[in-house]
Structures are given as C-alpha cells and as structure tokens.
C-alpha cells in the first residue's frame, strides 16, 4: 500500500459559486403573448421580477395547447403525452423540473426523474419542453437563483403591440 502515489488536491474557493446562488426559486408561467407578426413569448413570474422568453412557432403552439388545458380532451396524444405514458409504464415519475442555466440566449432545463427502485436520473431539455412537462405532470417549475439573476426582466420591454394574451383556463 505504501507504493500508491498520492496527489494533493487544492480547490480554490473563490471559483466556487455561493450556495445561495444555487438555491431553487419557484416561478410560474403566467401568460403566453402573441404579437401581430406572430412572435410568441412565455411570460414567467417570479417573486422579484417577471421575464419574457421568445418561443419559436412549434414551442409556442405546443405550450399554449397544454397551458390552456386542451390536452385533457385530445383524441390524438402529443409526443409529450406518449413520453409521459412510457414513463408511467416503466414506473418512473418526473420529480421536478428546473431551469438550470442560461448560455447566451439559450435556456436549459432539466427533468429530474425517479424510478420505482428510487434511482434518480436527469435529462436536459428546452425551456418550452420543461414548462410543458411541468404542466402535464402538475409540478411546480423551479429556476436556479444564479440563472434567474442572469435573465433580464420583461418590464423594460414595450408590450402594447401584443394583441393576444393567453391565460390559464
């Protein structure tokens, strides 16, 4: 045993995030805004600010489908509903949905799973996919505080030209 080389590991604490920056904040999807030129935004409300995130046409359409509760009576299931059925059939549930990071203009969410043997695993998805899965599974939506702080508040924007405001059913 004396022949095993030992390396000394030094961690510089100035490079580590403060634990408070990694805490989770609960946020809520409040509205889906649509402009006359068909740009869609998800309006997300937090305790200290509200943010508006632009969605592409597919994401906005799918998110509004679930946000308005139209999935409850659909005779043809979406890929999200099929995926959820697969999870249920394999005795796995989504435990929580978290907006984890922002890199440039891209927002990354994680789905936190737990199976019947209490194994936990994760997958990365888009903001719209994360919001849809939180709605479908009736889960709260969380964001890492450091990530939330990096996103500009929407109150700096002018929303007078937006003509459609989809609110929850």
């Amino acid at each position: 045993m004396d022949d095993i080389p030992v390396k000394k590991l030094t961690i510089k604490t100035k490079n580590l995030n403060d634990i408070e920056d990694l805490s989770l904040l609960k946020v809520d999807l409040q509205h889906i805004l649509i402009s006359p030129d068909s740009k869609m935004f998800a309006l997300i409300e937090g305790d200290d600010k509200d943010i508006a995130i632009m969605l592409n046409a597919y994401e906005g359409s799918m998110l509004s489908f679930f946000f308005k509760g139209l999935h409850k009576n659909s005779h043809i299931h979406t890929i999200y509903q099929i995926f959820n059925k697969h999870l249920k059939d394999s005795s796995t549930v989504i435990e929580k949905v978290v907006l984890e990071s922002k890199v440039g203009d891209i927002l990354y969410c994680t789905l936190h799973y737990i199976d019947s043997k209490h194994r936990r695993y994760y997958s990365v998805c888009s903001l719209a996919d994360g919001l849809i899965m939180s709605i479908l599974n009736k889960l709260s939506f969380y964001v890492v505080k450091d990530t939330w702080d990096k996103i500009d508040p929407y109150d700096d924007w002018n929303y007078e030209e937006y003509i459609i405001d989809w609110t929850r059913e």
Side-chain angles (χ1 to χ4, degrees), residues 10-121:
T10 305
I11 298 175
K12 296 180 181 180
T13 57
K14 69 178 183 177
N15 296 336
L16 298 176
N17 287 349
D18 184 11
I19 193 72
E20 185 179 309
D21 291 341
L22 300 177
S23 63
L24 297 180
L25 307 172
K26 184 177 178 239
V27 296
D28 293 307
L29 176 61
Q30 290 298 311
H31 305 282
I32 298 173
L33 303 172
I34 304 172
S35 70
D37 58 351
S38 299
K39 290 183 183 174
M40 299 181 83
F41 294 86
L43 186 63
I44 300 172
E45 178 183 63
D47 287 340
D48 61 338
K49 67 180 176 182
D50 298 344
I51 63 170
I53 304 299
M54 186 183 288
L55 306 170
N56 66 38
Y58 175 77
E59 290 177 326
S61 297
M62 291 306 295
L63 182 56
S64 63
F65 182 75
F66 285 90
F67 187 63
K68 292 297 291 179
L70 301 175
H71 65 284
K72 295 174 186 172
N73 296 320
S74 63
H75 63 284
I76 298 175
H77 288 165
T78 65
I79 191 66
Y80 302 98
Q81 292 165 302
I82 294 168
F83 178 68
N84 237 27
K85 184 176 181 336
H86 170 71
L87 287 176
K88 183 179 178 184
D89 291 346
S90 61
S91 301
T92 301
V93 296
I94 297 176
E95 185 177 35
K96 65 183 169 185
V97 181
V98 180
L99 175 55
E100 294 272 349
S101 65
K102 179 181 188 286
V103 179
D105 290 340
I106 309 294
L107 297 170
Y108 296 95
C109 287
T110 54
L111 303 176
H112 295 238
Y113 307 95
I114 185 167
D115 67 12
S116 60
K117 295 182 180 178
H118 302 287
R119 294 177 294 202
R120 296 178 191 282
Y121 56 100

Side-chain angles (χ1 to χ4, degrees), residues 93-157:
V93 296
I94 297 176
E95 185 177 35
K96 65 183 169 185
V97 181
V98 180
L99 175 55
E100 294 272 349
S101 65
K102 179 181 188 286
V103 179
D105 290 340
I106 309 294
L107 297 170
Y108 296 95
C109 287
T110 54
L111 303 176
H112 295 238
Y113 307 95
I114 185 167
D115 67 12
S116 60
K117 295 182 180 178
H118 302 287
R119 294 177 294 202
R120 296 178 191 282
Y121 56 100
Y122 314 90
S123 62
V124 177
C125 64
S126 71
L127 172 69
D129 291 340
L131 288 167
I132 289 168
M133 294 308 288
S134 70
I135 292 168
L136 184 58
N137 291 284
K138 299 178 178 129
L139 297 170
S140 296
F141 188 80
Y142 296 95
V143 61
V144 174
K145 183 184 181 313
D146 184 54
T147 301
W148 184 251
D149 292 342
K150 291 178 183 177
I151 303 172
D152 295 328
Y154 88 93
D155 51 30
D156 293 338
W157 300 13

